Amino acid sequence: MELEKYQNPMRENVYDVPGLCQAQCKKIEADSRMILTVPEIYELRRIIVTGCGDSYAAGLSMKTALEYLTGLPVEIVPAMQLARYEQRDTFGKPGSVLVLAVSNSGKVSRVAEAIERAGRFGALTLALTGNAECPLAKAAKRNVLLQIPAFSAGSGNGVRSYLVSMLSLLLTGIRIGEVKLRYMMSDSQMYRDEVARYAEEFEKKLEEIDSEMFRSARENMDKRSFEFLGSGGNYGSAWFGHAKILEATGDAASYNDMESWMHLNCFAKEIEGRFMMLFSNADGPDRSRAEEVLDVLGRMKGSLTVVTDSNETALPEKAERILIPRCRFDWMSPLLNYLPSALLAGYLSCMKGETYGRSGQKGWEAVGDIRLITGSRTEQKE
Amino acid sequence: MVHVLEFDTEKDGVRSLTEEISDIVAKSGVQEGLCVIHTPHTTAGITITSKWDETDFADIKSEFRRLVPTRVDFYHQFDTPEDAAGHIKSVLAGCNMTLILHEGRLMLGSSQGIFFLEFDGPRRRQCYVSIVAEH
C-alpha cells in the first residue's frame, strides 16, 4: 500500500494516543485526586493556565471544559505575560487564584519563572509535569507527576504529550467541580468514562481517518500556506494544527478563531495555495457561525477540510469532511480531534522531504539549540 | 434467602420500604422469627419513624443537616464534603435493622413505617432483606 511508504513517527504517535488516553486517565486521576485539599478548592475564585508551545495550546483546548466543570473564570496566559507583566493585584487574596502550569519536560525557563512569580504573589501554583526534579516542579507549590511511557517510534513531536497535558487539566477540572458539589461523584465518573469511550471510538475509526489524511496530504502537498480555524476549545486544536505544520514542513501556518478570521484573515492574499482546516461539531455553540464561515470559504478558492463529528451537517461542495467520533460533550472533543492535523503534518513532512524542525539545515543553525528554551535567563522582579 | 430491593433515590430523599418488606415477609410463609434489613451503602441509612405525615421527613432531614452540616474541613478529603457529611449521617442513622416477626407479620406499631434515608443521591440503591425462622 502506498501509504506504508510514508510511515513517519508522527503517525505512529497518533496511533498510540487512544490507548494512552485510556491508560493515563486512570493514572492521572489516581495521582492527582488529593493534590488540592477541599478547603483550598473552596478558596479558589479564578484559574490561570500557563505554558509555552503545545502546553499553551492544551490550555486553550481545555479552557471551556475547565470553566464548565469548575464554574470559575479561566484564563490562558502565555508564560511570558505571567512571568513579566501580570500585576500583583490581579492575584487578589492569597490562595484565591490557582495557576496551573503544564510542561512535560518541566525545563522551560519561562514557565518556571512564571510559576515562581505567581506563587510569590500568593497564587496556589500547581505544576503538571513529567519531571519531578525539573525547575518547574521546584518552583511550584504542588506537583502532579505525569508519567508518559516511553515510545519506540520516538517523541519530540508533542502528539502524545499534548494529549497528556490536556487530560491532566481536564481531570483537575473534574475534581474541582466535584469537590465544589457542582455535580455528583457519579457524574464525575461519567465524565471520566466518557473520556475512555471517546478514546475507544477514536481507536476504531483511526485507520479510516488516517487514509483520508493521507489522501488529503497527497492532494495538498503543493500548498504553501496552512490555516487552522476553531472556536471555543477548538481554538486550541487550531493552534496545535498550525504548530505541527510549522514544525513538520516549515510552511507558513496560522490559527484563528472563526469570528476573527471573518474580520481579518479572510483578506489574506494567498488563496489558491492555501490549505484550510476548520474544526466544528454538529452540536457545538459555534455551529451557526461555522455555517456562515463555511459558506464564505466554499465560495473562495483554495482547499477546505472540515473536522466534524457529524455526517449530517451541510458542507460546501468542495469541502473534505473528516468524520471523527462524536463526543458526548462538545468541550471534551478537543481532547482527540487534533489527531487528523497531526497525521496530515506527518505525511506532508515526508512528501515534501522536510526534516522535522529544519533539523541541521543551513539557515536554521541558530534556532536548533534547546538551551534557547531551557537556558533562558530568568528574572524575579516585582 | 436474601431478598434484594433495588430503587432510585432523589437527593436527600426519604423512601418507604414498609410495603415491600411486608410483602417479602408474607411470601416467606414464616410465622415466627426475625426480619433482618441491611443497606450496603455508606451515605444512606434505614430507620423507623411515623408514616402518617410526610412533613416529619422534612424535620428529620433538616435536623440531620443541622447536626452534620456539609463543611469543607472534614478530615475525609478523598471524595467530597457532602460525601464526608453523608458518612456521618449514615453512622447516626445506621444501616441495619432487626424486626420481630410474629404470627406471620412484622411487629410494627400502628404509626411505624420502615424508611430508607438518602444522604447523597440521586443514586441507584439497594436494601437486603433476610427472614430468619424460629426453630
Side-chain angles (χ1 to χ4, degrees), chain B:
Chain B
M1 182 186 172
V2 177
H3 301 264
V4 182
L5 299 178
E6 274 199 53
F7 45 87
D8 293 313
T9 61
E10 293 175 356
K11 181 168 170 53
D12 296 325
V14 178
R15 186 186 190 281
S16 173
L17 301 173
T18 317
E19 277 192 29
E20 286 152 287
I21 294 173
S22 297
D23 279 354
I24 291 169
V25 169
K27 283 175 186 162
S28 75
V30 174
Q31 293 299 302
E32 303 294 329
L34 295 172
C35 172
V36 182
I37 309 160
H38 172 69
T39 185
H41 305 292
T42 56
T43 52
I46 44 179
T47 194
I48 286 177
T49 188
S50 170
K51 63 187 178 187
W52 299 125
D53 184 356
E54 291 202 355
T55 56
D56 271 348
F57 303 153
D59 284 334
I60 290 166
K61 287 194 278 187
S62 163
E63 287 304 297
F64 265 112
R65 274 198 298 273
R66 190 180 62 80
L67 288 167
V68 192
T70 300
R71 305 192 321 261
V72 300
D73 59 349
F74 286 120
Y75 289 108
H76 175 70
Q77 301 258 314
F78 188 79
D79 297 310
T80 67
E82 196 148 79
D83 190 70
H87 289 169
I88 298 165
K89 291 172 188 169
S90 174
V91 166
L92 294 176
C95 294
N96 299 293
M97 181 181 290
T98 307
L99 296 169
I100 300 166
L101 214 158
H102 177 55
E103 294 178 347
R105 295 180 61 177
L106 292 170
M107 289 197 72
L108 287 169
S110 60
S111 293
Q112 286 183 318
I114 308 163
F115 294 92
F116 180 91
L117 304 174
E118 176 61 80
F119 299 124
D120 190 3
R123 299 278 291 267
R124 185 82 182 147
R125 297 296 203 181
Q126 287 186 328
C127 257
Y128 303 143
V129 182
S130 179
I131 310 296
V132 185
E134 195 177 292
H135 294 292

Side-chain angles (χ1 to χ4, degrees), chain A residues 37-57:
Chain A
T37 67
V38 172
E40 281 170 345
I41 288 172
Y42 274 85
E43 282 295 312
L44 300 178
R45 296 294 175 268
R46 187 173 153 226
I47 295 175
I48 290 174
V49 182
T50 193
C52 291
D54 292 350
S55 300
Y56 174 71

